[in-house]
Amino acid sequence: MTQRSTPRHRLPHGQQGRQRGHGLARIALACLAGLSTLSGHAPALANDYPTAERVRYVLDCMRANPGPQFEMLSKCSCALDAVAAEVPHEAYVSMSTAANAISIGGERGSELRDNESIKPQIKRLRELQAKAAQRCFIQPR
């Protein structure tokens, strides 16, 4: 067995973990800063969705895709993050409003359903949602 030539310094009991934790936090912050610089996007782009909108999306997703609560919470949060990475909140609101509006029944709804200008928005939203579901392992019903 070999012995160290330099003395081993010990921190007082309880401070060893704190020192290690600070180092890990610094490394994590440096990695996040580096990733945001490498990607060329500001980190706030995917986070411009208000909290209430995020919660509403995840709850709607969980309602549409029944399963174990914690699992679906994780999968649906992943799906929203995938959508948010693709389009800013303002564009998402426009697309989802168009998609929801075509479900209005009667005459008012028929005007929207027959409107050709909103169909590309609806198609884009459906594509984003399908891509996000596949990426986050949400099984189609």
Side-chain angles (χ1 to χ4, degrees):
M1 188 158 118
T2 60
Q3 288 194 344
R4 293 180 164 205
S5 59
T6 57
R8 187 176 186 154
H9 296 287
R10 290 194 152 276
L11 294 170
H13 183 67
Q15 290 186 2
Q16 292 171 341
R18 276 190 248 147
Q19 289 294 326
R20 192 174 318 130
H22 289 297
L24 290 175
R26 287 186 192 119
I27 291 170
L29 286 173
C31 288
L32 287 173
L35 286 175
S36 66
T37 303
L38 288 175
S39 69
H41 299 289
L45 288 180
N47 290 322
D48 70 337
Y49 286 58
T51 302
E53 185 72 34
R54 288 180 170 276
V55 170
R56 193 174 305 116
Y57 183 97
V58 171
L59 290 175
D60 288 344
C61 173
M62 290 175 69
R63 195 174 305 114
N65 301 288
Q69 189 172 5
F70 183 77
E71 177 184 349
M72 293 316 298
L73 175 67
S74 297
K75 288 180 177 183
C76 290
S77 296
C78 170
L80 175 62
D81 291 340
V83 170
E86 296 284 328
V87 294
H89 179 253
E90 197 171 303
Y92 170 77
V93 168
S94 176
M95 289 186 289
S96 65
T97 300
N100 290 333
I102 64 167
S103 67
I104 297 172
E107 246 179 77
R108 290 185 335 182
S110 69
E111 286 187 33
L112 293 168
R113 284 188 295 277
D114 297 337
N115 186 344
E116 293 295 322
S117 67
I118 65 171
K119 289 183 180 180
Q121 290 181 336
I122 296 169
K123 181 180 177 190
R124 173 79 171 131
L125 178 64
R126 301 287 187 242
E127 289 169 352
L128 286 170
Q129 290 173 330
K131 184 178 168 185
Q134 182 179 13
R135 177 179 166 192
C136 298
F137 307 104
I138 299 174
Q139 301 298 320
R141 295 186 306 149

